[in-house]
Amino acid sequence: MASARRLRLVVLASGRGSNLAALMSATRSGRLHAELLAVFSDRANAGALEIAAAAAVAGRWINPKAFDSRLAFDHALFAEIDALTPDLIICAGFMRILSAEVVAAQSQRMINIHPSLLPKYPGLHTHQRALDAGDSEHGASVHFVIPALDAGPVIAQTRIPIHHGDDAATLATRLLPAEHELLVRCVGKFNQHRIGHGHGQLLVDGQARPAWQYR
Ligand code: GAR
């Protein structure tokens, strides 16, 4: 049963912010029983910060150059995040690698959207890599964040066909709306179930289960 309490969300984003916008729209419409506490970015000019500002959501740029080390940046970032007591931290186009120490402490409540059918193509240039491999389908995954890059247990995936004549740009454009839907559905699951991970597996209400698959 859905809880009466709204899920407290924090979003980390480095770029355009279309996934953030999708979350905000689902929150506004009531589709997601959630409240967005703040958006954090490592880039001053991130579109995501503009989207937050336009909706009067707290937006915060933390400048990586102001810190001596990756760990110092991560500690500063997560000190601010922890102070907000979020239920769920969502990396939505956050392009900075977080240190293992910080990730390990947050791993049960931090998720990432990645534009590939993990475990295929962790890292960058996922659309081109799917094309280069001759794949017939492509997609996106939402997974728990663990210290290893893009390697945490997958919660759900969405798939799209690769068409003859697709290039990385057409593929990315066609995948994006599916990403938005995937991310909203995944966040919704945190209200409907007790979602976590253990021994490298997705746990839903304490039971291991395969990732949800959407088309
Ligand atoms: C999205 O396609 C997301 O899957 C990808 O960045 C884009 C952000 O778009 N994330 C990664 O590549 C993470 N490794 P947005 O800023 O419009 O939401």
Side-chain angles (χ1 to χ4, degrees), residues 13 15-20 92-95 112-115 123-124 127 140 150 176 179-180:
R16 176 179 54 185
S18 72
N19 278 285
L20 167 69
F94 189 62
M95 302 310 281
N112 178 48
I113 181 155
H114 181 75
L124 299 174
H127 312 303
D150 299 329
L176 199 60
E179 282 194 39
H180 298 161

Side-chain angles (χ1 to χ4, degrees), residues 107-163:
S107 186
Q108 292 290 342
R109 62 166 184 173
M110 182 155 59
I111 63 173
N112 178 48
I113 181 155
H114 181 75
S116 81
L117 292 171
L118 290 171
K120 281 186 169 181
Y121 320 131
L124 299 174
H125 311 302
T126 56
H127 312 303
Q128 191 58 52
R129 286 158 72 197
L131 290 166
D132 291 348
D135 292 352
S136 59
E137 62 176 9
H138 187 44
S141 308
V142 170
H143 64 93
F144 281 100
V145 179
I146 65 167
L149 182 68
D150 299 329
V154 173
I155 299 167
Q157 295 184 313
T158 187
R159 286 161 197 271
I160 61 166
I162 295 182
H163 298 321

Side-chain angles (χ1 to χ4, degrees), residues 1-6 31-33 188-193:
M1 210 172 83
S3 92
R5 183 173 164 280
R6 286 193 296 168
R31 180 176 172 197
L32 276 182
H33 192 57
K189 291 188 185 309
F190 282 82
N191 265 332
Q192 292 151 14
H193 313 276

